[in-house]
Amino acid sequence: MFNGLGIGPTGFILLIILALILFGPNKLPELGRAVGRTFREFKEGTRDMMKEEDNKTKAPVEPVQATQLQQESKPVDKL
């Protein structure tokens, strides 16, 4: 389960027991909700940063040269 972190099943059980001793059974659901909210906010912030970075890396619009504008524009009749 947590082999990537180097924690086996016995280590996971010991962490749960330690959390119960430190926080008590009444505080654990509240603590879990707070951790969940924190991860959600972090994920949203990361997603926003990635969107901003994508918008910055999009191909810039090619600037129009003055000679192109003069060729395309037509004289306006004065009233």
Side-chain angles (χ1 to χ4, degrees):
M1 181 167 164
F2 290 97
N3 289 338
L5 298 175
I7 301 173
T10 54
F12 186 67
I13 292 170
L14 287 174
L15 284 174
I16 291 174
I17 292 171
L18 182 65
L20 282 171
I21 291 171
L22 289 175
F23 300 108
N26 296 334
K27 287 282 187 178
L28 281 181
E30 183 180 326
L31 184 65
R33 277 188 227 102
V35 169
R37 277 189 230 118
T38 302
F39 280 130
R40 188 179 320 118
E41 289 177 13
F42 179 75
K43 186 177 179 181
E44 289 173 4
T46 305
R47 188 179 305 129
D48 290 342
M49 287 174 51
M50 291 176 70
K51 282 182 184 178
E52 288 177 10
E53 188 66 30
D54 286 344
N55 289 339
K56 288 180 183 178
T57 59
K58 285 185 180 177
V61 177
E62 190 174 308
V64 179
Q65 295 179 359
T67 54
Q68 290 175 338
L69 287 176
Q70 290 172 354
Q71 293 172 353
E72 294 175 1
S73 64
K74 297 177 183 176
V76 178
D77 293 334
K78 293 184 181 180
L79 296 176

